[in-house]
Amino acid sequence: MREIKFRAWDKVNDKMYDWKYLFSFKSVCGLFDNSNLELMQFTGLLDSSGKEIYEGDIVKSNSGYIFFINFDYGS
């Protein structure tokens, strides 16, 4: 079972917020009324350097193909 984590991209300030910040009491109060944030969920996968992969990430495979990570039809 994978760990449930989120991060959010602030489209106005071009800044990424991690899940610890998002779910702190102070930020949760303002999170749901902020349409400038794009919420991204952890996929449970890591890239070759051990970095977490989230929905919305753009990754490049070893063979040079570029992929956009998204949830679609249960996969």
Side-chain angles (χ1 to χ4, degrees):
M1 191 163 133
R2 69 184 168 110
E3 185 176 6
I4 305 298
K5 295 196 289 187
F6 294 90
R7 70 180 184 188
W9 176 251
D10 185 341
K11 295 180 251 183
V12 173
N13 298 313
D14 290 332
K15 186 173 181 180
M16 189 70 71
Y17 297 103
D18 71 350
W19 67 277
K20 291 175 185 174
Y21 173 81
L22 288 174
F23 291 103
S24 66
F25 179 78
K26 182 179 178 181
S27 64
V28 168
C29 295
L31 177 65
F32 299 106
D33 63 353
N34 191 340
S35 61
N36 298 325
L37 293 178
E38 183 177 331
L39 199 60
M40 307 164 86
Q41 187 173 0
F42 177 50
T43 62
L45 302 173
L46 303 174
D47 67 6
S48 59
S49 63
K51 188 175 177 184
E52 298 172 342
I53 298 174
Y54 286 79
E55 292 178 18
D57 283 349
I58 299 171
V59 297
K60 185 176 182 181
S61 70
N62 291 337
S63 57
Y65 292 102
I66 297 175
F67 298 94
F68 176 75
I69 306 301
N70 66 330
F71 183 80
D72 191 27
Y73 298 108
S75 61

